[in-house]
Amino acid sequence: MLRSHLRTVVVVVLAAGLLALFLYKVDLWGAMTAIAHARPGWLALSLATMLANLALRAFRWRYLLEPLGNATFGNAFRATAVGFAANSVLPARAGEVIRPYFLSRHEPMSATGAFATIIVERLLDTATVLAQLAAFVLLFGASARVSNPLAFSAVKWAGASAAGLTFLALAVLFVLAGNPARFAAAMARLERVLPSALAGMIARIAEKFARGLGIIRRPGRLLAAVALSVPLWLSIDLGIWAVTMAFGFNVPFTGSFLMLAFLVIGVAVPTPGAIGGFHSAFRLAATTFYGAPDDAAVGAAIVLHAFSVGPALLLGLFFAADAGLNLSRMRQIADVATEQGNPA
């Protein structure tokens, strides 16, 4: 319990620091004025893409879950919304644990197996974002290269490093999924050489990666999930680009590929709802590469974050309440999972 409270304090301090950095020397009146003058048609398009994105995520998740059972789209959608809502109000991306737990309450499948599919999902997401970034760097990034060559070079090197780590993680998952018996034997040997508590924790964490990885042994279903990742992330790109158009920024559609890469880094900071990290990342990309006015970039970041979080938060809290799951219970589930290395 003490560890949980300490983690909460650290996350709150981190979020406050990032927000302070985001708002440093910002004319808040200017930011609010930019929001008031944003074009509503583009804003409506951006909001619509966020709802479409939630549905596409649920649809793709069903393909990843198929080796565990045939989850309905409705249950996958509700669980996805609940998970994203939990990410918005709880620290350390607790929704990644809540989501499989919620699904297991409505479908005859284990939460640990469902959790493993989320690991695969995150790697597919990372690979898709990196592919878009590579396309931008190689084909569409001439204007960004000219506007800030040093930052553009840093983006290239960071993207290449992330790509290497992602493909390494995918290779590990293929090994785990390809030979479960060898993996179990390796875990048994590990328990004999490490302290029992540490070995048990590692074994539990590794087991939930290995279980539910059956999708990797089914190339057809995996390719379908990969294919669905493309429209999913293009819908996110469209939502980002629509906000830049609403605020009058000179950003081509393919520029959203670069801005998305920055936002993925900002979202990785484990604050509730990516508060602070999301905002700072958008502001940095918009002003550094596309010359957006600082106050308008702040206003656009606030609006895009509200659109990114709002629909899933409202839907997720509604679905959770309808299932008798409140925020206190969500926090308990996340805390137990963190301590035991198991989502349920």
Side-chain angles (χ1 to χ4, degrees):
M1 184 63 69
L2 180 61
R3 184 185 302 174
S4 173
H5 289 316
L6 179 61
R7 183 171 64 247
T8 300
V9 170
V10 170
V11 166
V12 169
V13 170
L14 179 60
L18 287 170
L19 277 177
L21 177 65
F22 170 63
L23 297 174
Y24 181 64
K25 291 186 177 180
V26 169
D27 178 5
L28 290 179
W29 179 253
M32 294 302 105
T33 300
I35 292 175
H37 288 90
R39 287 180 277 184
W42 287 108
L43 294 180
L45 174 60
S46 180
L47 183 59
T49 65
M50 303 306 167
L51 291 168
N53 169 257
L54 202 61
L56 285 168
R57 283 191 178 280
F59 192 71
R60 182 186 64 172
W61 195 27
R62 292 184 66 234
Y63 279 86
L64 298 176
L65 289 166
E66 193 268 343
L68 302 175
N70 295 315
T72 66
F73 172 79
N75 285 336
F77 181 82
R78 283 189 287 271
T80 300
V82 169
F84 275 73
N87 280 339
S88 299
V89 296
L90 297 176
R93 299 194 66 81
E96 310 292 30
V97 173
I98 304 299
R99 186 173 160 198
Y101 168 82
F102 188 90
L103 183 70
S104 69
R105 292 180 58 175
H106 298 86
E107 295 283 353
M109 59 181 63
S110 71
T112 49
F115 181 81
T117 66
I118 292 179
I119 303 302
V120 177
E121 183 182 84
R122 288 293 161 263
L123 288 171
L124 290 178
D125 287 341
T126 303
T128 307
V129 171
L130 289 173
Q132 289 189 348
L133 180 60
F136 176 83
V137 168
L138 296 174
L139 302 174
F140 309 115
S143 61
R145 184 185 297 111
V146 171
S147 65
N148 198 319
L150 183 61
F152 190 82
S153 178
V155 167
K156 286 198 299 184
W157 283 107
S161 300
L165 291 173
T166 299
F167 286 116
L168 176 61
L170 283 169
V172 170
L173 288 182
F174 270 96
V175 170
L176 294 181
N179 197 329
R182 181 184 300 172
F183 172 71
M187 288 299 101
R189 288 194 298 271
L190 185 66
E191 292 180 359
R192 291 196 293 268
V193 299
L194 290 179
S196 58
L198 177 61
M201 182 187 71
I202 293 175
R204 285 193 299 271
I205 294 174
E207 179 191 9
K208 65 190 176 192
F209 286 178
R211 298 173 68 181
L213 293 179
I215 185 69
I216 294 178
R217 296 189 294 273
R218 303 186 185 190
R221 307 296 287 184
L222 181 60
L223 286 174
V226 171
L228 285 170
S229 298
V230 176
L232 190 158
W233 283 96
L234 284 175
S235 74
I236 297 175
D237 295 327
L238 180 58
I240 295 169
W241 182 66
V243 166
T244 67
M245 292 295 98
F247 281 79
F249 300 163
N250 185 26
V251 180
F253 175 72
T254 52
S256 64
F257 297 177
L258 175 62
M259 299 187 76
L260 176 63
F262 274 76
L263 288 173
V264 167
I265 296 172
V267 169
V269 180
T271 56
I275 291 175
F278 181 103
H279 302 82
S280 297
F282 181 92
R283 177 188 181 186
L284 178 63
T287 56
T288 300
F289 293 102
Y290 295 105
D294 198 44
D295 297 338
V298 168
I302 292 171
V303 169
L304 181 60
H305 181 262
F307 286 177
S308 299
V309 171
L313 177 61
L314 295 176
L315 285 172
L317 291 179
F318 173 78
F319 292 142
D322 186 57
L325 189 64
N326 56 31
L327 288 178
S328 177
R329 177 57 181 153
M330 288 185 189
R331 182 184 292 275
Q332 290 174 4
I333 295 167
D335 288 343
V336 169
T338 300
E339 294 171 3
Q340 296 182 355
N342 199 311

